[in-house]
Amino acid sequence: MKDQIEAYFDRLWPICRSITGNGLRESFSILSELIPFQLSEIPTNTNVLDWTIPEEWNIEEAFIIDPLGNRIVDVKENNLHIVNYSIPFEGIVEWDELVNHLHYKEDLPDAIPYVTSYYKRKWGFCLSYNQYKNLQKSGEYKVVIKSTLTQGSLTFGDILLKGNSQKEIMFSSYLCHPSMANNELSGPLTLAFLYRELSKRENLKYSYRFILAPETIGALAYLSENGEHLKENLLAGMVLTCCGDRAHLAIKKGREENTIANRLIIAALKNQFSTLRVDEFEPYGSDERQFCSPGFNLPVTTLYRSKYSEYKEYHTSLDNKEFICFEAMQENVTSLLKVIDDIENSQIYCRTNPYGEPNMGKRNLYEDLGVNANHSERLHLRMLLLNYCDGKHELDYLIDKFNLSKQIVEQEIEKLLSANLIKAC
Amino acid sequence: MKDQIEAYFDRLWPICRSITGNGLRESFSILSELIPFQLSEIPTNTNVLDWTIPEEWNIEEAFIIDPLGNRIVDVKENNLHIVNYSIPFEGIVEWDELVNHLHYKEDLPDAIPYVTSYYKRKWGFCLSYNQYKNLQKSGEYKVVIKSTLTQGSLTFGDILLKGNSQKEIMFSSYLCHPSMANNELSGPLTLAFLYRELSKRENLKYSYRFILAPETIGALAYLSENGEHLKENLLAGMVLTCCGDRAHLAIKKGREENTIANRLIIAALKNQFSTLRVDEFEPYGSDERQFCSPGFNLPVTTLYRSKYSEYKEYHTSLDNKEFICFEAMQENVTSLLKVIDDIENSQIYCRTNPYGEPNMGKRNLYEDLGVNANHSERLHLRMLLLNYCDGKHELDYLIDKFNLSKQIVEQEIEKLLSANLIKAC
Amino acid sequence: MKDQIEAYFDRLWPICRSITGNGLRESFSILSELIPFQLSEIPTNTNVLDWTIPEEWNIEEAFIIDPLGNRIVDVKENNLHIVNYSIPFEGIVEWDELVNHLHYKEDLPDAIPYVTSYYKRKWGFCLSYNQYKNLQKSGEYKVVIKSTLTQGSLTFGDILLKGNSQKEIMFSSYLCHPSMANNELSGPLTLAFLYRELSKRENLKYSYRFILAPETIGALAYLSENGEHLKENLLAGMVLTCCGDRAHLAIKKGREENTIANRLIIAALKNQFSTLRVDEFEPYGSDERQFCSPGFNLPVTTLYRSKYSEYKEYHTSLDNKEFICFEAMQENVTSLLKVIDDIENSQIYCRTNPYGEPNMGKRNLYEDLGVNANHSERLHLRMLLLNYCDGKHELDYLIDKFNLSKQIVEQEIEKLLSANLIKAC
C-alpha cells in the first residue's frame, strides 16, 4: 500500500492548492479515485458561523525578474514562492519597495516559508534566507503575479459509510496547503486509504463519516451545515493531522472528560502501542478547534505524530517528501483499521426494549428444560448484560467492573444481538 | 402468629400451582382471607412487554404404570412428579422412549426436581434418582397425563393500603411453585401476614402496595400495566423471596446507587440486626430482575435468608416444610413491621409551598408576641426544617449533618405536619 | 461620607416606621434623595405567597397616664413605647388589667424592648424594667392609643442600574423597624450610599439591583412579583443587615454550595480582609430566609457585622446611635464598591457565538501575516480563553487550573471583549 500512497502523493504534491480554487478541486478529483466524496461548493460571501467564504483564488504564474534579467523566484519552481491568496500585480518596483513583499526565515536559511493572506488583499513572495542573502538588493525588479480573485466557491467533501447504527464515527482531515507533506498530504492520504480499505467491509456496526475540507474555514463551513447532525449522532471522532513523519502515533483527548469516545479510542490505540502518548485537550492545533468549540463540544480526538509545534520544518518547504515516510501513512491506515476493529468489537449496547426482562425462552436462550443450565454462570452473565446494556456502560467497562471474561462476554453479546434483544447504540 | 402461618402453609402446600390455572386461583383464594387482593385476570395471548400470556394449564391426574402394573410416579403423591405445564398424553411407551421424559438429580438422589416447560409444548415426569435407579428400565409403561392447555388467563393480585402520601412503599412476592416451601410459600405468607398486621394500623404516612403474582411472567404482566405508575410514585420497594429458612435475614440493594430506598431500608434493618448482610445489586434472583430492568430502574431491594443459589434443596422436593421454620416467617413479619415503623418515623418531607418562608404566625407557630421565644433554638430548628424539607434530604440525613436531637426534630416535624406546612413526599 | 450618613441617620431615626404606613413612606421619601427607588404599593389583603398584606397601620399618639396624672410612657418620647401595630384604644384600666399589656426585659433593665403584633389584633406598651419597677402598680391608669388600621398598602422599592449584561448582582435590605440603628438603619443607609456611589459609574458590566422592603412580608411581596425574574437573571446577591456596629464585616454563604456567587463574593471580601469570617448558610437571619427558601434557592449571601443573635441590644432601644458607628457604614460602602470592582473585573465570560472558532483575522487578532506570531503563547492563551469562556468557568478558575498570569489574561480578555467575541454573562 505504501507505494500506492507514494504514487498519489507524487500526483498531489505539485498542485498549487489553497482554501479555494482549481488546485483544490483538482486535488479532490484525484483523491476521489480512492474515496468518492460528495462534494459541496459553498459560494463566495456565504456566511458560515462567524466567518465568510472568501473570493475564489486561482493563480496562473508568478515570478520576479531581477535587475540582471534572471527569474529569481518563480511559483513554477515551488508553490510556496507566492504568498497564498496574493492579489494580481504586474510592474517594475524598486528593491526598497520589493523588500516589503518578501518573506524568509533567518533561523531556517534553506527553507521557503509558507505564508497566506486569505482575508487581507496583499501580494508577496517567499524565499529561503540563503537565496535572499545572495540577492543584489538594489535596482529595479520586475514583478509578475497573474492571479485572480473572483466570485466562486469553496469546495469540501464528505461521505458516509452507512452501518447498522445511526451513531457515527468520524474521521476528518484538511486540504488546502500547497506542496506540504506532513502538515497536509499525510492527513488526506491516510483518510483516503483508510476509506478505501474500510469500504471493502460489509455489515459495519457504526456509520463512518469521512470529512475533508480546507482547514478552519472549510471545517467551519462543514459545521455550519452539519454541526447539529453531528451533535445528535456522533459517538466518536478523530482529526488526522501531521501524521506522516517518523515519530510514533499520538492522540489528543477531546474537550469533554470521560467520554466514551476518549475511552474507546485511547484503549484501542493502547492495544497496539502500549506506550502511546496521550495529550490532554487543548484548543490549539487543527480542526479539533472547531469540533471542540464550546457550542459544539463534540467528542473529537486528534491523531498526529509530531505536533505542528514540535518540528521546525512545519509551514516551510522543508515539510516535504524527505521529511515524511510512506510506511508511517501505511501504518496509520492499518492502525486505524484496528482502532475501528476495536470500536466495532467493543461497544456500547442498549436494550431494544428496556422494560422488564426479555423472554429468553421464546428465543431459545434458555435450555428448553432448566434442570442444569438454569442458573449457570452463563445465564447470570446473560442477565447481567441484559440489565447493564443501557447505553451508558461500554462493554469494556462492564468487563472491568464485574471482572468478566472478554471472550465469553463477546459470545454472549453475539447471542443477544442475534436475538435482537440488544443493539449497538 | 407462627402457628397461624403454619396452618396456612399446610393448606397451601398440597395445591398444584403453576403460573396460571385453578391451583393458582385457589391459592389466591386462601390468601385472600388474610389480604383482600384485588385480582386481575390477564387473558391468554395478551402481550405483556416482551412476553405473551400463555395458555392456561390445569391438571386432573398424571401417573406412570410400570410393566408390573405399579403406579410408580403419581402427581397425587407429589405435585413435582409432573413437569409443570405438561401437555396431555395417554398411551403405552417403551422404556427407551419414556426415559427421554424423565428428570432426576444424580447429585441429590432423594430429591424430586422441579421442572417446568411453560412455553415449549412437552410432557415429562420428575422423580428422585433413588426411585429412578430401582426402575426395571425395560418393557412397556403406561403414561396418563390428564392436563388441559386452554384459552384462559393469568391471575395476579395487588392491594394498596392508602396512607396520607401518594408515595408508595411496595412489598412484592410470587405465587406459582407447587409444593415448595422456602422458594414459594415463605414469600406469600410473609406478605399476607405483614398485610394483616399493617392493615390494623390507621393513619399511615405512606401508601403500602402489596403485589403477589406468578414469578417473572406475572411481574411482567403487572409492570406492563402499572410500571409507569410505580416510576412516578414508588419511594422504596422490596421483593420477598426465600425468606423461610434458618439463615439470618439479608438484603440486596436496588440497582441505582445511593437512593433514599437503599438508605432507609438498610438503616431500618441494621437497627434490628447490627451485623446485617448487605449484598450489592445483581440482576439475578426473583422479580427484582423486572423491577430493576433498565427501563423501569425502580428503587427496589430484595429480602431473603438463603439466596436461591445458596441452598441445595432449591427447586426440589427437599425445599419442604422440614427445610423451613415458621419462627423465621414470624420474624419476617415483626421485622418488616419495624422497618415500616422506621420508614414511617424517619422520612422525607417537602414543603407544601416551597416559595418563601411560610407565615408561621397565622398558624400559631410563633409565640404571639416574640419577646422571649422569637429566636430560640426551637424557632431555629423549625426554620431549618422548613428550609431543608425539599424532598431531597431525609430527616436522618439532616439530623446527622446538623447534629440535631432526633426527639426534638420529631416534635417539630409533627408541628409542621399539623400546620400543613410540610408533607411526607 | 460618614457625616452625610449620620445626617440621614438623624432624619430617619425619629420616624415611627412599621411594615406599612406613612412612617415607612416618609422614610422611603428621604432615602429617595440618594437612591431613586421605583416604589410599589401592594394593597391590603393581597396574597403574597403564603402570606397576606395586612391592613395599613398608622399612629397619631399613644401614652399612659398614671393614677397621679403623669404621662409615664409616651410614643412621642420613644417609638418603641408602643407595641407596633397596636389597635386603637382609649379608656381607664385597672393596674391588674394594664399589666397584661406591658412589656419589659428584666435581664436588660434599661432597655425598652421592641414588640410587634402585625397579625394579631392587640394593644400594648413597652418600657424599661427600671421604669416598670418604679410604677405605683395599683389604681386606675388612663390609656390613649390613637392608631388606625385601614385598607391601605405595603410599600417597597427597587431600582436597577442597567449594565451591559442582563445578569444581575443584587443588594437587598429592609425598612420597617422604628428607631433602631444596627438592626434597621445600617442596612438601608449602606444600600443608599452604595447606590449613590455606584450610580456615578458608567459602563457597568453587570446590572445592579437594589431592593428595599419591609423585612419578611416585604421581601415576600417582592419575590411574589419578581422571584421568577431573579431565578433567571441573578448571578449573585447579598442581604445587608446589622452592619453598622463595631465588629468586623462577615459574610454568610448562600444555600447552594459552590456557586459562582459564593466564590466571587468571598474572594472579593478576602482580598480586603484576609481573616474574613465566613459562615455556612443557615436559614435564619434576615431576608436571605426568603431568597434562599427551597423554591427560589437563589445565590444570595448575607453581609453583617454582629449577627442579630450576637449582641444583647438587638430589638431594644439600646440598638441606638451609640451602639453603631458611621465609620462602619462608610467602610461598608467603600468595601462593597471594591467587591463590585472585583466582580466587575473578575468574571464569567461566554462566547457571543460559541459555535466554531471566531474569525480572529477580520478583527485584527492575528498578525496580518503569520510567520512569527502565529503560534505564540499569546495566541494559545487567546484560543484557550475563546474555548473555555463558556459561562461555566470563572476566569480565576481558569487562571488557577492552567497556571496563567492574571495580568496577561486580563489583557487578553480586554481584547476579546473589544472584539465582541466574548461577553460578560
Side-chain angles (χ1 to χ4, degrees):
Chain A
M1 184 194 302
K2 72 185 173 67
D3 296 342
Q4 293 177 297
I5 297 175
E6 183 173 358
Y8 274 93
F9 178 91
D10 290 340
R11 289 168 67 193
L12 290 162
W13 174 262
I15 300 169
C16 188
R17 277 177 295 281
S18 181
I19 56 171
T20 61
N22 293 324
L24 178 62
R25 286 192 194 91
E26 189 186 343
S27 305
F28 267 116
S29 169
I30 292 168
L31 287 165
S32 289
E33 298 168 13
L34 297 161
I35 174 171
F37 284 119
Q38 179 171 337
L39 297 174
S40 298
E41 295 280 349
I42 313 297
T44 297
N45 289 329
T46 305
N47 289 323
V48 292
L49 302 169
D50 189 51
W51 302 61
T52 306
I53 303 295
E55 288 180 304
E56 180 175 326
W57 183 70
N58 284 289
I59 185 140
E60 193 184 328
E61 56 179 355
F63 54 84
I64 301 172
I65 297 176
D66 75 4
L68 303 176
N70 303 314
R71 285 205 182 191
I72 52 168
V73 286
D74 189 341
V75 78
K76 286 206 169 60
E77 282 172 19
N78 192 313
N79 288 317
L80 299 185
H81 274 319
I82 186 72
V83 167
N84 206 289
Y85 257 73
S86 279
I87 59 174
F89 182 82
E90 288 188 58
I92 308 297
V93 296
E94 291 289 328
W95 169 256
D96 289 350
E97 187 192 336
L98 179 66
V99 75
N100 297 323
H101 295 271
L102 299 184
H103 304 277
Y104 49 86
K105 283 176 85 75
E106 285 187 58
D107 59 337
L108 211 62
D110 285 329
I112 306 168
Y114 167 54
V115 181
T116 68
S117 185
Y118 300 136
Y119 291 93
K120 301 225 164 122
R121 296 178 76 87
K122 303 202 161 188
W123 64 263
F125 287 88
C126 303
L127 68 174
S128 72
Y129 184 58
N130 285 334
Q131 185 178 13
Y132 173 81
K133 279 193 303 189
N134 291 328
L135 294 184
Q136 179 181 312
K137 301 204 177 70
S138 66
E140 295 185 330
Y141 289 76
K142 182 176 182 189
V143 170
V144 174
I145 304 176
K146 293 193 178 168
S147 68
T148 56
L149 283 159
T150 56
Q151 299 295 309
S153 57
L154 172 149
T155 313
F156 66 70
D158 83 332
I159 186 165
L160 184 69
L161 269 180
K162 279 198 188 168
N164 296 323
S165 169
Q166 297 212 324
K167 290 287 175 192
E168 298 184 7
I169 311 297
M170 179 196 86
F171 297 94
S172 170
S173 194
Y174 50 89
L175 196 63
C176 54
H177 299 68
S179 304
M180 269 169 291
N182 200 35
N183 178 33
E184 171 83 354
L185 292 173
S186 71
L189 288 169
T190 298
L191 190 84
F193 279 86
L194 177 64
Y195 175 87
R196 192 186 70 173
E197 296 308 308
L198 188 63
S199 65
K200 294 172 185 167
R201 298 197 187 173
E202 286 177 7
N203 205 24
L204 290 167
K205 193 199 294 181
Y206 294 102
S207 295
Y208 289 84
R209 185 172 293 277
F210 293 77
I211 302 170
L212 190 61
E215 203 174 18
T216 305
I217 181 70
L220 290 158
Y222 189 85
L223 283 167
S224 179
E225 291 194 357
N226 304 293
E228 287 306 311
H229 173 85
L230 290 180
K231 278 178 99 163
E232 244 178 74
N233 295 287
L234 191 67
L235 190 68
M238 189 186 283
V239 169
L240 309 174
T241 177
C242 297
C243 53
D245 64 274
R246 287 167 175 83
H248 291 300
L249 276 171
I251 192 85
K252 184 169 90 177
K253 291 180 184 173
R255 183 177 189 260
E256 198 68 21
E257 286 284 345
N258 286 326
T259 55
I260 284 168
N262 281 354
R263 289 197 303 258
L264 286 186
I265 289 172
I266 291 169
L269 284 167
K270 280 196 173 162
N271 283 346
Q272 302 173 54
F273 310 103
S274 59
T275 60
L276 180 75
R277 165 179 165 188
V278 178
D279 292 333
E280 291 302 308
F281 176 74
E282 44 179 27
Y284 328 125
S286 183
D287 288 331
E288 70 271 27
R289 287 153 29 199
Q290 315 313 326
F291 294 115
C292 297
S293 57
F296 292 117
N297 201 19
L298 294 166
V300 171
T301 61
T302 310
L303 188 84
Y304 41 75
R305 289 174 181 271
S306 292
K307 277 168 91 166
Y308 63 92
S309 55
E310 291 170 356
Y311 67 101
K312 66 182 190 312
E313 296 84 353
Y314 173 79
H315 267 203
T316 75
S317 59
L318 302 183
D319 183 354
N320 57 23
K321 193 168 174 177
E322 272 93 74
F323 182 66
I324 58 163
C325 66
F326 296 100
E327 288 84 352
M329 288 182 237
Q330 176 164 341
E331 189 190 54
N332 293 347
V333 173
T334 53
S335 177
L336 289 176
L337 287 168
K338 284 183 198 157
V339 168
I340 289 170
D341 284 341
D342 283 4
I343 291 179
E344 290 276 309
N345 288 327
S346 155
Q347 269 306 344
I348 310 128
Y349 296 96
C350 56
R351 289 267 300 277
T352 49
N353 174 352
Y355 297 98
E357 262 181 1
N359 184 333
M360 291 196 262
K362 76 180 180 190
R363 296 176 174 89
N364 292 315
L365 289 171
Y366 278 125
E367 303 272 339
D368 52 344
L369 294 178
V371 182
N372 302 306
N374 216 20
H375 303 99
S376 70
E377 273 187 42
R378 269 301 181 94
L379 180 62
H380 274 197
L381 175 57
R382 194 172 293 169
M383 292 165 82
L384 185 127
L385 293 173
L386 285 167
N387 192 286
Y388 285 110
C389 285
D390 60 356
K392 294 176 192 158
H393 300 99
E394 332 150 45
L395 220 53
D396 283 345
Y397 168 88
L398 297 177
I399 288 168
D400 242 40
K401 170 163 179 177
F402 295 106
N403 200 19
L404 308 171
S405 149
K406 187 175 176 66
Q407 192 190 2
I408 294 173
V409 164
E410 282 172 355
Q411 292 169 15
E412 278 303 315
I413 287 288
E414 267 320 297
K415 282 191 190 160
L416 300 179
L417 281 170
S418 310
N420 197 29
L421 287 177
I422 61 170
K423 56 180 177 181
C425 65
Chain B
M1 185 194 301
K2 72 185 174 67
D3 295 342
Q4 293 177 297
I5 298 174
E6 183 172 357
Y8 274 93
F9 178 91
D10 290 340
R11 290 168 66 193
L12 290 162
W13 174 263
I15 299 169
C16 187
R17 278 178 293 282
S18 181
I19 55 171
T20 60
N22 294 323
L24 178 62
R25 287 193 193 89
E26 187 186 344
S27 304
F28 267 115
S29 169
I30 291 169
L31 287 165
S32 289
E33 299 169 12
L34 297 161
I35 173 170
F37 284 118
Q38 179 172 335
L39 297 174
S40 298
E41 296 279 350
I42 313 298
T44 296
N45 288 329
T46 305
N47 289 323
V48 291
L49 302 170
D50 188 52
W51 302 60
T52 305
I53 302 295
E55 288 180 305
E56 180 175 326
W57 184 69
N58 285 289
I59 186 138
E60 193 185 326
E61 56 179 353
F63 52 83
I64 301 171
I65 297 177
D66 74 6
L68 304 176
N70 303 314
R71 285 205 185 190
I72 53 168
V73 286
D74 190 341
V75 77
K76 284 207 171 60
E77 284 173 18
N78 192 316
N79 288 317
L80 299 185
H81 275 317
I82 186 71
V83 167
N84 206 290
Y85 257 73
S86 279
I87 58 175
F89 181 83
E90 288 188 60
I92 309 295
V93 296
E94 293 288 331
W95 168 256
D96 289 351
E97 186 193 337
L98 179 66
V99 76
N100 297 322
H101 295 271
L102 299 184
H103 304 277
Y104 48 86
K105 284 175 85 74
E106 286 190 58
D107 58 337
L108 211 61
D110 285 328
I112 307 167
Y114 166 55
V115 180
T116 68
S117 185
Y118 300 136
Y119 291 93
K120 301 225 165 120
R121 295 176 77 86
K122 305 205 160 187
W123 63 264
F125 288 88
C126 304
L127 68 173
S128 73
Y129 184 58
N130 284 335
Q131 183 178 13
Y132 173 81
K133 279 193 303 189
N134 291 328
L135 294 183
Q136 180 181 311
K137 301 204 178 68
S138 65
E140 295 185 331
Y141 289 76
K142 182 174 182 191
V143 170
V144 175
I145 303 176
K146 294 194 177 165
S147 68
T148 56
L149 282 158
T150 56
Q151 299 295 310
S153 58
L154 172 148
T155 312
F156 66 71
D158 83 331
I159 185 165
L160 184 69
L161 269 180
K162 279 197 189 169
N164 296 323
S165 169
Q166 297 212 325
K167 290 287 174 191
E168 298 182 7
I169 311 298
M170 179 196 88
F171 297 94
S172 170
S173 193
Y174 51 88
L175 195 64
C176 53
H177 300 70
S179 304
M180 268 169 292
N182 200 35
N183 179 33
E184 171 83 353
L185 293 173
S186 71
L189 288 169
T190 298
L191 191 83
F193 279 86
L194 177 64
Y195 175 87
R196 192 186 71 173
E197 296 308 308
L198 188 63
S199 65
K200 295 172 185 167
R201 298 197 187 173
E202 286 177 7
N203 204 24
L204 290 166
K205 193 199 295 179
Y206 294 102
S207 294
Y208 289 83
R209 184 172 293 277
F210 294 78
I211 302 169
L212 190 61
E215 203 174 19
T216 304
I217 180 70
L220 289 158
Y222 189 84
L223 282 167
S224 179
E225 291 194 357
N226 303 293
E228 288 306 311
H229 174 85
L230 289 180
K231 277 179 100 163
E232 245 176 72
N233 295 286
L234 191 66
L235 190 68
M238 191 186 281
V239 169
L240 308 174
T241 176
C242 297
C243 52
D245 63 276
R246 286 166 176 83
H248 291 301
L249 275 171
I251 192 85
K252 184 169 89 176
K253 291 181 184 173
R255 182 177 190 260
E256 197 69 21
E257 286 284 344
N258 287 324
T259 55
I260 283 167
N262 281 354
R263 289 197 302 257
L264 286 185
I265 290 172
I266 291 169
L269 284 167
K270 280 196 173 163
N271 283 345
Q272 302 173 55
F273 311 103
S274 58
T275 60
L276 180 74
R277 165 179 166 188
V278 178
D279 292 334
E280 292 303 308
F281 175 73
E282 46 179 27
Y284 328 125
S286 183
D287 288 329
E288 70 272 25
R289 286 153 32 198
Q290 315 314 326
F291 295 115
C292 298
S293 57
F296 292 118
N297 201 20
L298 293 167
V300 172
T301 61
T302 310
L303 188 84
Y304 41 76
R305 289 173 181 275
S306 291
K307 278 167 89 166
Y308 63 92
S309 55
E310 292 169 355
Y311 67 102
K312 66 182 189 314
E313 296 84 353
Y314 173 80
H315 267 203
T316 74
S317 59
L318 301 183
D319 182 355
N320 57 23
K321 193 170 175 178
E322 274 93 74
F323 182 66
I324 58 164
C325 67
F326 297 99
E327 288 83 353
M329 288 182 237
Q330 176 164 342
E331 188 191 53
N332 293 346
V333 173
T334 54
S335 178
L336 290 176
L337 287 169
K338 285 183 197 157
V339 168
I340 289 170
D341 284 341
D342 283 3
I343 291 179
E344 290 277 308
N345 289 327
S346 154
Q347 270 306 345
I348 310 127
Y349 296 98
C350 55
R351 289 266 301 277
T352 48
N353 174 353
Y355 296 98
E357 262 180 3
N359 184 332
M360 291 196 262
K362 76 178 181 191
R363 295 176 174 90
N364 292 315
L365 289 171
Y366 278 126
E367 303 275 336
D368 51 343
L369 295 177
V371 182
N372 303 304
N374 216 21
H375 304 100
S376 71
E377 274 188 40
R378 270 300 181 96
L379 180 61
H380 274 197
L381 175 57
R382 193 173 294 169
M383 292 164 82
L384 184 127
L385 294 172
L386 285 167
N387 193 285
Y388 285 109
C389 285
D390 59 357
K392 294 175 192 160
H393 300 98
E394 332 151 47
L395 220 53
D396 283 345
Y397 167 88
L398 296 178
I399 287 167
D400 241 39
K401 170 162 180 176
F402 295 106
N403 200 20
L404 307 171
S405 149
K406 188 175 176 66
Q407 192 188 3
I408 295 174
V409 164
E410 281 171 356
Q411 291 171 16
E412 278 302 314
I413 287 289
E414 268 320 298
K415 282 191 190 160
L416 300 179
L417 282 169
S418 310
N420 198 30
L421 287 177
I422 62 171
K423 55 181 178 181
C425 65
Chain C
M1 185 194 302
K2 72 185 175 64
D3 294 343
Q4 293 177 297
I5 298 175
E6 184 173 358
Y8 274 94
F9 178 91
D10 290 340
R11 290 167 66 193
L12 290 162
W13 175 262
I15 299 169
C16 187
R17 277 177 294 282
S18 181
I19 55 171
T20 60
N22 293 324
L24 178 62
R25 287 192 194 91
E26 188 185 344
S27 305
F28 266 116
S29 169
I30 292 169
L31 287 164
S32 290
E33 298 168 14
L34 296 161
I35 173 170
F37 284 119
Q38 179 171 337
L39 296 174
S40 299
E41 295 280 349
I42 313 298
T44 296
N45 288 330
T46 305
N47 289 323
V48 291
L49 303 170
D50 189 51
W51 302 62
T52 305
I53 302 296
E55 288 179 303
E56 181 175 325
W57 184 68
N58 285 288
I59 185 139
E60 192 184 327
E61 55 180 355
F63 53 83
I64 301 172
I65 296 177
D66 74 5
L68 303 176
N70 303 313
R71 287 207 182 188
I72 52 168
V73 285
D74 189 340
V75 77
K76 285 208 170 60
E77 283 173 18
N78 192 315
N79 289 316
L80 300 185
H81 274 318
I82 186 70
V83 166
N84 206 289
Y85 258 73
S86 278
I87 58 173
F89 182 82
E90 289 187 60
I92 308 295
V93 296
E94 293 288 331
W95 169 258
D96 288 352
E97 186 191 340
L98 178 66
V99 76
N100 297 323
H101 295 273
L102 298 185
H103 305 277
Y104 49 84
K105 283 177 85 78
E106 285 188 58
D107 58 338
L108 211 60
D110 286 328
I112 308 167
Y114 167 54
V115 180
T116 68
S117 185
Y118 301 135
Y119 291 92
K120 301 225 164 122
R121 295 177 76 89
K122 303 204 161 187
W123 63 263
F125 288 88
C126 303
L127 68 174
S128 72
Y129 184 57
N130 285 336
Q131 184 179 12
Y132 172 81
K133 280 193 302 189
N134 291 328
L135 294 183
Q136 180 182 310
K137 302 206 176 65
S138 66
E140 295 186 330
Y141 290 76
K142 180 175 184 191
V143 170
V144 174
I145 303 176
K146 294 192 176 167
S147 68
T148 57
L149 282 159
T150 56
Q151 299 295 308
S153 57
L154 172 148
T155 312
F156 66 70
D158 82 332
I159 185 165
L160 185 69
L161 269 180
K162 280 199 186 165
N164 296 323
S165 169
Q166 297 212 324
K167 290 287 175 191
E168 298 183 8
I169 311 298
M170 180 196 85
F171 297 94
S172 171
S173 193
Y174 50 89
L175 195 64
C176 54
H177 300 69
S179 304
M180 269 170 291
N182 199 36
N183 180 32
E184 170 84 353
L185 292 174
S186 72
L189 288 170
T190 298
L191 190 84
F193 279 86
L194 177 64
Y195 176 86
R196 191 187 72 174
E197 296 307 309
L198 188 64
S199 65
K200 294 172 185 166
R201 297 197 187 173
E202 286 177 6
N203 204 25
L204 290 166
K205 194 199 291 181
Y206 294 102
S207 295
Y208 289 83
R209 184 171 294 278
F210 293 78
I211 303 169
L212 189 62
E215 204 174 17
T216 304
I217 180 69
L220 290 158
Y222 188 85
L223 283 166
S224 179
E225 292 195 355
N226 304 292
E228 287 306 312
H229 173 86
L230 289 180
K231 278 178 99 162
E232 245 178 73
N233 294 286
L234 192 66
L235 189 68
M238 189 186 282
V239 169
L240 308 175
T241 177
C242 298
C243 52
D245 64 274
R246 286 167 176 82
H248 291 301
L249 276 170
I251 191 86
K252 184 168 91 176
K253 291 180 184 174
R255 182 178 191 260
E256 197 69 20
E257 287 283 344
N258 286 326
T259 54
I260 283 167
N262 281 354
R263 289 197 302 257
L264 286 185
I265 289 171
I266 291 169
L269 284 167
K270 281 197 173 163
N271 283 345
Q272 302 173 53
F273 310 104
S274 58
T275 60
L276 180 75
R277 166 179 165 190
V278 178
D279 292 335
E280 292 303 308
F281 175 73
E282 44 179 28
Y284 328 126
S286 184
D287 288 330
E288 70 271 26
R289 286 154 30 200
Q290 315 314 326
F291 294 115
C292 299
S293 57
F296 294 116
N297 201 20
L298 294 167
V300 172
T301 61
T302 310
L303 188 83
Y304 41 76
R305 289 174 181 273
S306 292
K307 277 167 91 166
Y308 63 92
S309 54
E310 292 169 357
Y311 68 101
K312 66 181 189 314
E313 296 85 353
Y314 173 79
H315 267 204
T316 76
S317 59
L318 301 183
D319 183 355
N320 57 23
K321 193 169 175 178
E322 272 93 73
F323 181 66
I324 58 162
C325 66
F326 296 100
E327 287 84 353
M329 288 183 236
Q330 176 165 340
E331 189 191 53
N332 293 347
V333 173
T334 53
S335 178
L336 289 176
L337 287 168
K338 284 183 198 157
V339 168
I340 289 171
D341 284 341
D342 284 4
I343 292 180
E344 290 275 310
N345 289 326
S346 156
Q347 271 306 346
I348 310 128
Y349 296 97
C350 57
R351 289 267 301 277
T352 48
N353 175 351
Y355 296 98
E357 263 181 359
N359 184 333
M360 291 197 262
K362 76 180 180 190
R363 296 175 173 90
N364 292 315
L365 289 171
Y366 278 127
E367 303 273 338
D368 49 345
L369 295 177
V371 183
N372 302 305
N374 217 20
H375 304 99
S376 70
E377 274 188 40
R378 269 300 181 96
L379 181 61
H380 275 197
L381 174 57
R382 193 172 293 168
M383 291 164 82
L384 185 128
L385 294 173
L386 284 167
N387 193 286
Y388 285 109
C389 284
D390 59 357
K392 294 176 192 158
H393 301 98
E394 332 151 45
L395 220 52
D396 283 344
Y397 168 87
L398 297 177
I399 287 167
D400 242 40
K401 170 162 180 177
F402 294 106
N403 200 19
L404 307 172
S405 149
K406 188 176 175 66
Q407 192 190 3
I408 294 174
V409 164
E410 281 172 356
Q411 291 170 15
E412 278 303 315
I413 287 288
E414 268 318 299
K415 282 190 191 162
L416 299 179
L417 283 169
S418 310
N420 197 28
L421 287 178
I422 61 171
K423 56 179 178 181
C425 65

